[in-house]
Structures are given as C-alpha cells and as structure tokens.
Amino acid sequence: KAKAAAETAANESAKATAEEVETKAEPKVEATKTEEAPKDDAPKAEEPKEEELKEEEPKEKQPKPLRLLGEAFKTYIICEYDNRVCLIDKHAAHERIIFEDLLKESRESAGIASQSLLLPITVLLSAEERAVAEEYRSELIAVGYEFEAGEGFANLLSIPNAVSASEAESLFVEMLDELLEGRGNPSLTDSLRRERALYQVACKAAIKGGRVYDESVTEWLINKVLSLPDVTVCPHGRPIAFKLTKSELDRHFDRLK
C-alpha cells in the first residue's frame, strides 16, 4: 500500500509539472478591459431650442404706428405718423417712386422692361417727329419703345411695361416733342435725355390726383414714402409731402408759447 501511494503521488507530481511547462510555453493572453470614461455626474445643459434661438436674435425695429386720417380733394393723403401730421401729394409721390425704380432698372440692364403688342399702335407723325424718332431710336428703345416708321406715321411694336396701351401713343409723341426741343443742345447728354424720358414714363404710369383708389393702395404709398426720407420732391421738382409736428400745431393754436 505504501508503494502504491508513493507511485500515485509521483504520477500526480509529474502531471502537475507537465501542466506547468505547457502553461509556460503558451503566451498568457489577458483580456483587455475597456476603460470606461469617467462618468460626469454634473447635469448636462440642455441645447437651446430653435424657438429660443430666434428669440435671442436681434429684433428688428418695429415700424412706428401709422394712422390714415383721410384724403383731401381726392389728391392729398392725410396721415398721422411719429407724432406728426403728414400730407402727401399722391401723384407726385407715386411718380417719384416709379422714377427711382425705372432709373435703377435702366442702370442695371441698360434699359427698362417693355411689353410687346399683339396689334401695333399707329401714331401719326409730322416729318420732323419722324426724323427725330429715327435719330434717337436707340434712346427710345432704351425706355421701352420699339417701332417701325413710315411716311407720316410710326407703328409701335413695344411700349414701356409701366405704361398702359391707352397712354402709350400720347407719351411717345410727348417724348418726340421733348427731343425736338432739346435737339442741338450740347448740355443735353444721352444720360440726361434718358432721365427726362424716364420722368415722362413715370408721370404717365403714376396714380392720378382727383381719382379714388383702394385704401390698400393708399397705405402702400404712405409706407413707401415714409421709408424714403431722402426723397422729398417729384422728378419735376415739386414737393411730394408736407409735415407738421404736434408741437407746431400746438403753437399755431396757442397751446404752446
């Protein structure tokens, strides 16, 4: 029995030694632990919502309150604005607004928009008017007129977009007369002649004094005039608005000394 126990102990010792050698021969691979980022216990700030960002943007200046009081003689608009009373000549004001738009368009595209006619408008012309129409054809095209000239007449093929067909004929003749008057005047440059032509287009296209227009048109015109503080006269030099402050009215009625 002692011998058997000794053999068993020897076998177990040899087996343990073999396992130890085998373990040393194989490289020991340790599981790599992924280091977890330290948890931040501090509460995260919430991202601002889109609505909040919009609120933080600088707010545009709110327009000052405007009150339409009425119209005198179907010509002069009366309104209250910024602690003053304002009277606006609606034709002169609209004429200047149109002129500024046409002038900008002319400078940006070397001409203004025109409308082609399905049926030409025939305009009777004198020999002088026909001659000046041919001489200044390029200037007339630049302000929206395309035409074919014949003996004693011209057929209008295109007219300025801002002008109605009913007024296109008379405007064309007025432009020719203006060109005749300035013919040979060295001070009248091409650009000045073109500006004068734009004056005439704007005058024909503008709303007319003595006529009644929808209140939305009137309000649009008031807002347009008030948004252009540097524009004070029409293309012909007439004032477009007259303003009285409350203090000036108070002094007039002896409320203020």
Side-chain angles (χ1 to χ4, degrees):
K1 289 182 179 178
K3 185 177 179 181
E7 286 178 355
T8 301
N11 289 336
E12 289 178 355
S13 176
K15 186 178 179 181
T17 303
E19 288 178 354
E20 185 178 349
V21 170
E22 187 179 351
T23 303
K24 287 182 179 180
E26 293 178 4
K28 192 174 184 179
V29 180
E30 293 182 359
T32 304
K33 292 184 179 180
T34 304
E35 293 184 3
E36 295 183 0
K39 294 183 178 179
D40 187 2
D41 295 333
K44 290 184 178 180
E46 292 184 3
E47 293 184 1
K49 295 180 182 178
E50 188 177 350
E51 293 78 5
E52 294 174 354
L53 287 174
K54 288 181 180 179
E55 290 179 0
E56 291 175 3
E57 292 177 356
K59 294 182 180 179
E60 294 181 1
K61 291 184 178 179
Q62 295 297 321
K64 295 177 181 178
L66 170 69
R67 190 160 68 97
L68 176 61
L69 302 179
E71 194 171 316
F73 315 114
K74 300 180 183 178
T75 301
Y76 305 104
I77 300 167
I78 308 169
C79 64
E80 183 182 337
Y81 170 79
D82 193 21
N83 210 34
R84 67 189 66 189
V85 172
C86 183
L87 282 81
I88 300 171
D89 182 330
K90 63 183 181 184
H91 172 75
H94 195 211
E95 183 182 16
R96 180 58 188 268
I97 291 166
I98 294 173
F99 171 74
E100 292 296 328
D101 289 342
L102 292 176
L103 186 61
K104 181 182 178 183
E105 182 183 355
S106 176
R107 287 171 175 170
E108 290 177 351
S109 56
I112 64 173
S114 62
Q115 51 183 316
S116 299
L117 301 175
L118 292 175
L119 296 175
I121 298 174
T122 301
V123 184
L124 299 178
L125 301 176
S126 66
E128 287 183 331
E129 288 171 338
R130 181 192 172 190
V132 80
E134 293 288 7
E135 183 179 348
Y136 294 102
R137 178 182 286 270
S138 60
E139 281 84 352
L140 291 167
I141 290 174
V143 294
Y145 278 108
E146 291 187 25
F147 60 93
E148 293 176 343
E151 191 66 37
F153 71 93
N155 285 329
L156 303 182
L157 308 177
S158 296
I159 61 175
N161 203 36
V163 177
S164 65
S166 61
E167 295 183 317
E169 179 181 348
S170 61
L171 175 59
F172 186 72
V173 174
E174 287 172 18
M175 285 184 175
L176 296 182
D177 292 341
E178 180 86 11
L179 290 169
L180 273 172
E181 288 180 12
R183 206 175 188 181
N185 186 346
S187 65
L188 284 177
T189 61
D190 289 344
S191 61
L192 187 56
R193 272 195 295 268
R194 187 170 298 181
E195 279 196 17
R196 286 189 173 185
L198 294 179
Y199 293 165
Q200 292 173 296
V201 174
C203 184
K204 287 291 185 183
I207 60 178
K208 305 297 187 286
R211 298 182 188 176
V212 178
Y213 294 89
D214 189 80
E215 190 172 304
S216 61
V217 175
T218 304
E219 290 179 348
W220 172 85
L221 184 59
I222 295 170
N223 285 311
K224 194 73 174 176
V225 170
L226 296 177
S227 70
L228 301 170
D230 296 332
V231 175
T232 57
V233 296
C234 77
H236 304 292
R238 294 191 296 108
I240 65 174
F242 174 70
K243 300 174 184 177
L244 277 174
T245 64
K246 183 177 183 300
S247 58
E248 287 172 332
L249 285 170
D250 288 340
R251 287 191 187 94
H252 181 79
F253 291 101
D254 292 332
R255 288 179 174 272
L256 289 177
K257 301 297 183 181

